[in-house]
Each structure stands twice: as C-alpha cells, then as structure tokens.
Amino acid sequence: SEFVYHAILLSFIGHPEIFPLVFTTKTQEIFNCRVDEDVTEENCFKLIKKEDIIQDLQTRAAISDFHPVKKVVLEYPGEELLVVFDAKFQYGQNFYLVASEEAKENLLKRPETTEEKEEEKEEEENREATLEVQLYKPPVHKPWVSLGSEKEVEEESVKETATKIKYMISRVRRKFGAPITFTDKNASHVKDSYVECTSYQDKTFSIKMLEKDVGVQMIPKIREASTQTKWTYPKNAATQYFPRQLSNEEKEESLSSEKLKEFLTSVHLRMEIALQQNEIMNAFFDDWKALAEDESSSGGKPDVYLKAYQSFTDLRYLKDRTISCVCWHPTIYGIIAVSARKQLSYEEQVNLSEKSLLQQSVILFWSIFDPIHPQLMLECPEDVYCFQFSPSDPNIIVGGCINGQVALWDISQHEEKLQNAKPAADGIKMTAVNTVNASVLHIFTESPLVRYCTVSSMQYSHKKPVTDIHWLPGYSEENQMGATFENRAEVRVQLVTCSPDCSILFWDIPATKLPEQPSSEKIEEEGIFNIPPDVPDTLKHLDLCWKPLIKINLYESDINTEHGPVRISLRELHYHYKTSEKVPSLNTLEVPVKDSPHTDMSAPSSKNLKALENISTGFFVGTEDGEIVYSDWKMEIDSDSAKPVGQKHTQKYTIHTETINTLQRSPFFKDIILSIGGRNFAIWKEGVTNGPMLQSSCSAGRYTAGQWSLTRPGVFFVGRDDGNIDIWDLLKKTYEPSHFQNISESMITFISPCIASPKQHFLAVSDDLGVLHVLEICQALSHASRNEHANVLDYFEREVKYLK
C-alpha cells in the first residue's frame, strides 16, 4: 500500500494542480497545521476552509503566506482546500496546495489492501471480547519532581520587607455617645493644619524614550453625540448648487434697456471719484498702527527671521573637522576668522600625543565677498580650541591650543590685503566654461600662510586643552618714586586662559613687541618665508620660554574637590598689577601658596607687586561638570606669615547637568551673566548669592552654544544639537523662545554676532560639519525699541527682588 501511495504522489509531479508554499510559524498556528504536532510525515494532510484563507488574505494582505496563490484560492470551486505537509521537500517547500477536487480525492482515498481489510474485520470481532477482558486499573500517584518553578513563583511574589507599626487608638470613656458639634475654620490660620503639594519641573520625564513596551488592543470605534438644539417649528430649506444664468436674448434685452443706461449715468461720477481716491491714498490704511513706534508695540506680529547671507567651507582644512571658534575682525568690514579642530573620540582626547601630523592645523580668514578663497591662513602648532583678536591692535592674535599651549600671531604685513579683499571674479561673468578654470586657478593661487610668532613653554602651560581665552587691558603703573601715570598707549598686553586641568593662568606680553617694530625685526620677518618648514618662527626673547605671571588652582581643600574650568568670565578687565619697576621678567619662578582653602595661587614675585584698589577681582567659572563657581583671585598679604594668600569665599551652584559651553556677560549690563550647558540655560547677577535670576526648563534638545545680542538688551541666541537656533526675547516670553529657526543638519558649535553697519547686522553660526553660515539679522531683532534698556533692567531688578 505504501508503494501505491508514493506512486500516486509521484504521478502528480509537474502537474499544474500542485502549488508549493512556505508556511511560517505564524501561519501554522493560525490554521492549526503546526509541524510535528498537528501534521507529521505519516499524517501529512490538512483540510482548510476557503473562507478562512480569504479572511487571512484580507487581514494580513501581502504578509499572508497564501498571497502568491490568491487567484487560485478565489477561483477554487470547492469549500475546503487540501494542504499537504511536504517533510522531504519533494516540491521544494515545506507545504504544497492541491488546487483541484479530483487530486484532493485521490490523495485522501488511499488504496486499502486485502490484508488491511482482514485486520479491520478481526478488530471488529475481537472488540467485544477485548472490552470484557480489560480490567480497571486505578491510577498510581507519582512523586512530584521539582523543576525550579517554585523559585520563579517566589521571586515574582510580593513580600513585605518593612516591619509593620501597630497603633492602638482609644477614646476616653466619658466621651462615648457624647454629642459632636462641627464648626468651620480657615486652614491657613492654624499651623501645620494642611500640607500643600505644589507642582515642580521633573527633569526625568523630559527624556525622550527610545523604546517602550506597550500593548495595543483594537476595539470598534464608537462615537456618541448629542445636541440641545432649540427646535421651535419645522421650516423648509433648499440649497442651490448651480448658478442661474440669463439666456442670450435676456442678456441683450437687459444691456439695451433704459434702466441700465440710467444707472450707469448716475454712478459714473461717483465711480471716477472713488478710483481717483484709491490712486491718491490707501483707504484701508490703519492710522492707529501708524501712530505706534513699531509693529511689535502695536500688537502686530513683525516678521522675525535670520536670512542666509553667505556660507563658507574648505575641503582641505575643514573636512571632517568641527569649527571650534569664530571671531569677526574688529575693524575690517566683512572679514571673519575660523579655527577648527579634529573630531576626537574620548580615547583620542585622552591620548592627544597620538594626533596625526598629516592634516595641518590653521586659522582661516574669510571675506563675505569671496566664499571660495580664504584670504589668509595662520599656521598653528596644534589644533586651536579658542582665539581672540587684540582689542587695541587687531593685528595681534592669540590662541589656545588643544595641547595646552598659547600661541601668538602678528598679521600686520597682511592688513592691506584683508582691507582690499574683494570677490575673486570681480568684473568677470562666471560661466559654466570658466568655472573649471577658476577651480584650477584656486589650486595655484594659494592663500598666504603666516607662521606663529611665539608659543608658550610646554612645562608651564596648561596640561589640558585651553578652552577659553580673554585679553585684559593695561592699567596705570607706578614709577620708582611712587607717582602714578596713565598708560596712554592703552595697549592690551595681558591675557587670561583657563583649562579643565583646574588652573587659570594670567599671561603678560612685553609691551616692546606690540607697538612699531624696529627695522631690524622687520627685516627678520621679511625673511620668514626663507625659513625651512620644520623651524618655527618664534621671537628670540620668547622662544618656547613664555611663562604665565599668575596661576590660580581651583580646588576645595576641605573636601579635596577640584573644579575643571571650561569657561571664565571676569567683570572688570583691569586685572593688572601695578609695578614699581619695569614689566616683570618672564623667567621668574612661581612661588606656590598653600594656605588658601579654596584658591591656590602662585605669582612670580610678591615684592614688587602691589594690587590695584577699588576694582572687582571676582570671577565666574563654568566647569566641565556643569557647575557655576564664583570665586575671588585677589591676593592679600598674611600678617602672620607675610605670604600672599587668596580669598576664602567661594560659591558653587549646580544648575546644569552637562559641561558649560557658554559663560558670557551682557554687553549692556556688566553684572548680568548668561550660562548655557546641557539642556537648560540660566541668567545670573553678580552679587546675588541666592541662585540664578532666571532658569529655563529642560529642553528637548541639548544647548551647545549661545550669545547675547549686541543691539537689544533682552535678546540672546541659543544653538542646539539638532541644528536649530532659539531666539529668546525676555520682554516677550521668559518660559519659551520667541522664535526658532533651523540653520544646519548637524550640531551648532559656535555663535558670533557682528554689527557691520547701523542697518546691517550679521550672525555667524558654525556647525559640526565644518561649515560656517553667515546670517543677516532682521530689523525686528537688531533694532531696540524705545525704553527697552530700562524695561529689561526693571525686569532684572524685579527678578532679584523676587529671588531674595
């Protein structure tokens, strides 16, 4: 019989009634044809109703395993289709569908041999005898074998771990059954009579959830509606869908009628007067809005935007690098400088010595007139993290490197080139033909490369990247006779730098270098281009021996905690010591001071230094842990030990959750500081120790950069990691940004505003892809309204009063 059965199966090979199918586990569960459970190699047949297959096709559509044979199923004449489990993959798949009634009957009706018929007769005859012979056997109890399920039940069960406290509440016997009188009273009049649960911002619920396990249940949609319409009486209503038009005859009759001629004659004069008035003045002009100063004060919505003006990038020096700092030239219109650093991972930041020397580190000077060719390039010893122009002499530039060194450049020889920067194709019409020539020309017309004048000593520099740098102005000095004289040259020769190595360094540059140089030095600088590339162009008296004058170490000796400053903000930029002699030598040794519990300071020498009086020596510091620290760097002479010691008061605030990336004072209020880090920002007032005046709520994205507006006291710009810029206007909203605009597809790394002219204001925005975007600020964001300065100052005073 097995031979005949397989012969029948083999006879169907190649027949069009056989359709091989692949049944997934889901389909096997739906139609109860699970392999080795519902169907086996011996019992391989399964009848499935046609309705169930059609229902599965409607429910799962293209996902259904019957989708390839959808047409065959729909045209099948019978009510049930035969599905056969192909264990040996005779037809190439684990199942196949029989698409004809005749083939289904032949497969189901297997031929029976005579031996099987005789066996069935014997079974029927012996069935009665078997029933009589079989005796009842009661079930035997088997011992229970543990497989570990009781441990799982015990782990999932809830048990009370805390011991219960028992209270017994009793009442005096004489009060049983006594009458009770209820009275009204105000809860606020009695102390501790109620507890108020006020709402607060919980940062844990502002985190975006990447994955969440939820269950969804589908139910039929039900809609309930009810109305309370006052129905007084029924009324017929009709809607006209097509316009009623006059026929051609009715049109001619109406146009030639005397009534129309009389109407046109009567309104002709009034129509002419109305048309003349519309040409002379706007009849819809709002006089009330014209009386207001601007649209914002009259309740209108001004058009606030940042208009794209220009964009810069360089495939050689900015490819795969992030822009670290952006600075506008203080005096030359349209010149902007950009520094970049390599996108380092955490391991690469730790091992900075493994930096590749193949890609050169430069500071690029761009002109808004020429977005293709850099006007100037400054050679850097390492990647520059931050740099600044000297306010007294813009030709002097100082930068902080990623290895902790401080470098100095002098671009006085190239000042004329920057002033005459014009578009590369000035007067030449660029076409598709000569763009190739222009790109080839760009290869040969390389921008001039300026080497650094000097670089600080590695031994006395920072041990980690220089994250912030500021110029300090020269102050008055004392001669040997004690008479003070004013530094009329106003040459800024002092620097302050900070680094996450918990140190703040004050640097001094000899004043003899910054003014006019002797002719011999000019001759030496003219020969710079003859120096081999591997020889640095340094000043002889500062050749790798430039050292800081003052060093401040931020740590708390009580709890042995160090603060890694990332940003620093000084109130007055007159941090300069009066000297009774000449400028101190740069080679003087540092004297460490260990008596201060909060600030460790060291100075070159305390004999000839006398601190200036009546100036603020406090400073704000933003750390890499997100802390805001306010301390004092002023040194006082201890009466007992006769040694200089630092101040002992330090204030620490934990507002931000990530590294501080912005710590800037307002251009209009010198005691107002904006700090940005993590997902929020804060506004501080120097002298107020209660905390920040304004603290933003937790935002959806991380804040990565920020800057105050140079023209409006209450406006500042905040960049985010999603490429958007939030524009905050404190006179409009303090709980959310007034406007926001998308600038880039990657993280905003730096923001720098500039006042090009009274009517033209720029905002330079850099991103993590090495692209610099120059945006033009609209009039609504650049022109302050009347009394805006007083209104913002009044707002700050109210917040300070409320905070106290």
Side-chain angles (χ1 to χ4, degrees):
S1 61
E2 291 294 330
F3 174 77
V4 177
Y5 168 65
H6 287 292
I8 295 173
L9 285 177
L10 293 174
S11 64
F12 283 92
I13 295 178
H15 288 199
E17 294 86 0
I18 304 299
F19 292 91
L21 292 175
V22 177
F23 277 13
T24 60
T25 307
K26 183 69 176 176
T27 305
Q28 295 176 18
E29 292 177 0
I30 293 175
F31 295 97
N32 294 326
C33 56
R34 290 169 294 182
V35 176
D36 296 332
E37 292 184 20
D38 299 324
V39 291
T40 59
E41 187 174 359
E42 292 78 17
N43 187 15
C44 58
F45 301 106
K46 182 67 178 180
L47 290 174
I48 302 176
K49 293 184 178 181
K50 181 180 178 181
E51 297 177 358
D52 296 342
I53 299 177
I54 296 174
Q55 181 65 29
D56 184 74
L57 288 170
Q58 293 176 356
T59 304
R60 299 196 295 169
I63 307 175
S64 175
D65 295 337
F66 289 96
H67 185 74
V69 294
K70 180 179 179 181
K71 184 177 180 181
V72 177
V73 173
L74 296 176
E75 295 177 357
Y76 190 79
E79 295 296 330
E80 291 183 341
L81 285 86
L82 178 63
V83 175
V84 183
F85 170 54
D86 193 358
K88 297 181 180 180
F89 290 83
Q90 189 175 0
Y91 294 96
Q93 304 295 346
N94 58 350
F95 286 85
Y96 60 88
L97 179 70
V98 180
S100 68
E101 287 288 321
E102 181 180 358
K104 181 178 73 173
E105 293 176 1
N106 291 335
L107 285 175
L108 291 178
K109 293 181 180 180
R110 296 173 56 180
E112 296 180 353
T113 60
T114 55
E115 295 178 356
E116 291 177 349
K117 293 180 180 179
E118 291 177 0
E119 289 177 0
E120 288 180 2
K121 289 181 180 179
E122 292 179 357
E123 287 178 0
E124 290 178 359
E125 293 175 355
N126 298 331
R127 190 173 298 168
E128 297 178 356
T130 305
L131 292 175
E132 296 177 356
V133 172
Q134 288 180 352
L135 299 175
Y136 172 72
K137 295 181 180 180
V140 179
H141 295 283
K142 296 180 181 180
W144 181 70
V145 180
S146 174
L147 298 177
S149 59
E150 70 277 2
K151 295 182 180 179
E152 297 179 1
V153 174
E154 186 177 357
E155 290 176 357
E156 295 295 332
S157 62
V158 180
K159 297 181 180 179
E160 296 182 359
T161 57
T163 57
K164 294 184 177 181
I165 301 174
K166 295 183 179 180
Y167 288 96
M168 185 179 72
I169 302 173
S170 61
R171 194 177 188 187
V172 183
R173 183 77 177 178
R174 64 175 178 269
K175 291 187 178 181
F176 286 180
I180 300 173
T181 57
F182 295 97
T183 58
D184 296 334
K185 82 175 174 181
N186 196 344
S188 61
H189 291 168
V190 182
K191 185 180 179 181
D192 299 332
S193 61
Y194 75 102
V195 178
E196 183 180 4
C197 298
T198 58
S199 61
Y200 65 95
Q201 177 71 21
D202 193 349
K203 295 182 180 180
T204 58
F205 293 98
S206 61
I207 301 173
K208 284 189 175 180
M209 197 171 294
L210 299 179
E211 184 177 353
K212 188 176 181 180
D213 189 8
V214 296
V216 181
Q217 182 180 3
M218 301 298 295
I219 60 171
K221 188 175 180 180
I222 300 175
R223 181 177 178 184
E224 296 182 359
S226 61
T227 59
Q228 295 179 349
T229 307
K230 187 178 179 182
W231 187 263
T232 54
Y233 58 90
K235 183 180 180 181
N236 294 329
T239 303
Q240 180 181 345
Y241 290 94
F242 301 99
R244 290 178 293 178
Q245 296 180 352
L246 299 175
S247 62
N248 295 331
E249 298 161 356
E250 291 175 339
K251 289 179 182 178
E252 292 178 1
E253 183 181 354
S254 176
L255 291 174
S256 60
S257 63
E258 294 294 332
K259 188 177 181 180
L260 181 61
K261 294 179 181 179
E262 293 175 359
F263 169 73
L264 294 176
T265 305
S266 61
V267 301
H268 178 265
L269 183 59
R270 285 184 289 168
M271 193 66 183
E272 281 188 351
I273 295 174
L275 292 174
Q276 291 175 2
Q277 287 179 349
N278 288 341
E279 291 295 329
I280 294 172
M281 62 174 293
N282 184 12
F284 301 100
F285 185 73
D286 193 346
D287 295 325
W288 292 107
K289 286 187 178 181
L291 291 174
E293 183 178 351
D294 54 7
E295 292 184 350
S296 59
S297 61
S298 63
K301 293 184 178 179
D303 193 9
V304 178
Y305 60 91
L306 299 173
K307 182 180 178 182
Y309 189 84
Q310 195 62 270
S311 62
F312 306 91
T313 188
D314 192 280
L315 296 179
R316 178 178 177 182
Y317 296 105
L318 299 180
K319 185 179 180 181
D320 298 331
R321 296 168 76 87
T322 178
I323 295 179
S324 57
C325 188
V326 178
C327 287
W328 292 88
H329 198 285
T331 57
I332 302 178
Y333 173 79
I335 297 297
I336 185 169
V338 172
S339 67
R341 59 183 175 88
K342 188 179 178 182
Q343 297 176 352
L344 300 176
S345 62
Y346 180 77
E347 291 77 8
E348 292 173 335
Q349 291 179 7
V350 174
N351 301 321
L352 291 176
S353 60
E354 300 177 2
K355 175 181 176 294
S356 175
L357 300 176
L358 298 178
Q359 193 168 12
Q360 189 177 11
S361 301
V362 295
I363 296 178
L364 299 177
F365 280 71
W366 298 91
S367 172
I368 59 175
F369 302 110
D370 188 359
I372 302 176
H373 309 87
Q375 304 299 316
L376 192 65
M377 293 187 297
L378 306 183
E379 182 184 4
C380 308
E382 291 284 344
D383 287 351
V384 173
Y385 208 103
C386 55
F387 69 95
Q388 287 291 336
F389 289 89
S390 173
S392 58
D393 185 4
N395 292 325
I396 304 300
I397 303 168
V398 66
C401 300
I402 201 170
N403 64 345
Q405 288 181 296
V406 179
L408 190 73
W409 294 269
D410 185 0
I411 60 170
S412 54
Q413 292 184 349
H414 306 275
E415 183 179 6
E416 185 177 356
K417 173 179 172 59
L418 295 178
Q419 290 177 349
N420 299 329
K422 292 182 179 179
D426 205 4
I428 302 174
K429 186 176 181 181
M430 297 293 290
T431 61
V433 177
N434 57 18
T435 49
V436 179
N437 299 331
S439 62
V440 174
L441 182 65
H442 173 56
I443 298 175
F444 297 102
T445 59
E446 186 70 29
S447 302
L449 182 65
V450 180
R451 297 179 181 270
Y452 48 88
C453 297
T454 184
V455 67
S456 64
S457 170
M458 283 288 294
Q459 182 181 359
Y460 298 100
S461 300
H462 292 285
K463 306 306 178 187
K464 290 186 178 181
V466 180
T467 54
D468 204 1
I469 190 168
H470 293 286
W471 285 90
L472 307 179
Y475 203 63
S476 59
E477 297 180 356
E478 290 183 358
N479 56 12
Q480 294 181 358
M481 303 300 294
T484 60
F485 65 95
E486 186 178 355
N487 184 7
R488 295 185 179 180
E490 294 184 356
V491 178
R492 301 197 175 195
V493 295
Q494 277 75 30
L495 295 170
V496 59
T497 59
C498 70
S499 173
D501 63 353
C502 306
S503 65
I504 298 174
L505 300 182
F506 287 82
W507 305 79
D508 185 33
I509 302 174
T512 57
K513 167 67 186 72
L514 298 181
E516 286 283 333
Q517 296 181 355
S519 59
S520 61
E521 292 187 3
K522 289 184 178 180
I523 294 173
E524 289 179 4
E525 289 193 0
E526 289 177 358
I528 287 177
F529 298 100
N530 297 327
I531 300 176
D534 57 343
V535 179
D537 174 34
T538 57
L539 298 175
K540 291 182 179 179
H541 61 288
L542 292 177
D543 189 7
L544 291 176
C545 65
W546 187 17
K547 303 176 185 178
L549 288 175
I550 303 175
K551 180 178 181 180
I552 302 175
N553 288 330
L554 292 179
Y555 72 93
E556 296 182 17
S557 59
D558 297 339
I559 57 177
N560 196 17
T561 301
E562 294 183 344
H563 302 295
V566 180
R567 294 289 185 268
I568 185 171
S569 177
L570 309 171
R571 180 174 184 180
E572 293 180 359
L573 299 182
H574 295 167
Y575 300 112
H576 181 53
Y577 276 77
K578 297 178 182 178
T579 58
S580 57
E581 297 179 357
K582 296 181 180 180
V583 179
S585 173
L586 295 176
N587 297 323
T588 53
L589 296 176
E590 297 180 352
V591 181
V593 179
K594 300 181 180 179
D595 297 334
S596 172
H598 296 287
T599 308
D600 181 14
M601 300 183 58
S602 55
S605 176
S606 61
K607 296 179 181 179
N608 299 326
L609 297 182
K610 183 180 178 181
L612 290 171
E613 301 295 336
N614 299 324
I615 67 171
S616 174
T617 55
F619 62 90
F620 277 90
V621 163
T623 68
E624 58 183 352
D625 295 328
E627 297 176 343
I628 300 295
V629 180
Y630 182 75
S631 185
D632 199 317
W633 67 274
K634 186 176 180 181
M635 298 174 63
E636 293 182 351
I637 303 301
D638 191 0
S639 58
D640 299 332
S641 61
K643 292 183 179 180
V645 296
Q647 299 293 320
K648 297 185 179 181
H649 56 276
T650 300
Q651 298 161 10
K652 183 177 69 174
Y653 307 93
T654 305
I655 299 296
H656 306 281
T657 57
E658 297 181 25
T659 303
I660 304 297
N661 56 67
T662 301
L663 191 65
Q664 189 204 8
R665 292 183 181 267
S666 171
F668 301 92
F669 313 102
K670 298 303 180 184
D671 57 348
I672 300 298
I673 300 98
L674 171 67
S675 66
I676 300 175
R679 297 179 181 269
N680 62 344
F681 68 85
I683 297 179
W684 310 77
K685 182 178 177 64
E686 191 166 2
V688 178
T689 60
N690 303 67
M693 293 187 302
L694 176 64
Q695 180 183 354
S696 70
S697 59
C698 194
S699 67
R702 289 174 51 249
Y703 290 147
T704 55
Q707 201 80 10
W708 285 100
S709 172
L710 299 178
T711 54
R712 292 194 57 187
V715 174
F716 56 92
F717 307 93
V718 180
R720 304 194 315 197
D721 60 348
D722 56 359
N724 290 338
I725 283 186
D726 291 345
I727 305 171
W728 288 79
D729 190 349
L730 298 179
L731 292 182
K732 285 188 175 181
K733 298 177 183 179
T734 57
Y735 59 91
E736 66 178 1
S738 302
H739 310 279
F740 71 93
Q741 186 171 339
N742 182 262
I743 304 299
S744 172
E745 296 180 356
S746 64
M747 178 179 67
I748 303 296
T749 59
F750 206 89
I751 298 176
S752 178
C754 173
I755 303 177
S757 66
K759 293 186 178 180
Q760 194 174 34
H761 300 257
F762 290 128
L763 187 70
V765 180
S766 63
D767 58 21
D768 199 37
L769 299 176
V771 181
L772 175 65
H773 307 268
V774 176
L775 311 169
E776 189 172 1
I777 305 176
C778 66
Q779 184 176 1
L781 291 175
S782 58
H783 291 72
S785 60
R786 186 184 302 173
N787 300 328
E788 182 172 346
H789 186 279
N791 293 335
V792 175
L793 180 61
D794 183 54
Y795 166 74
F796 287 149
E797 291 177 351
R798 290 198 314 268
E799 290 297 321
V800 170
K801 185 179 179 181
Y802 170 74
L803 189 63
K804 291 183 178 179

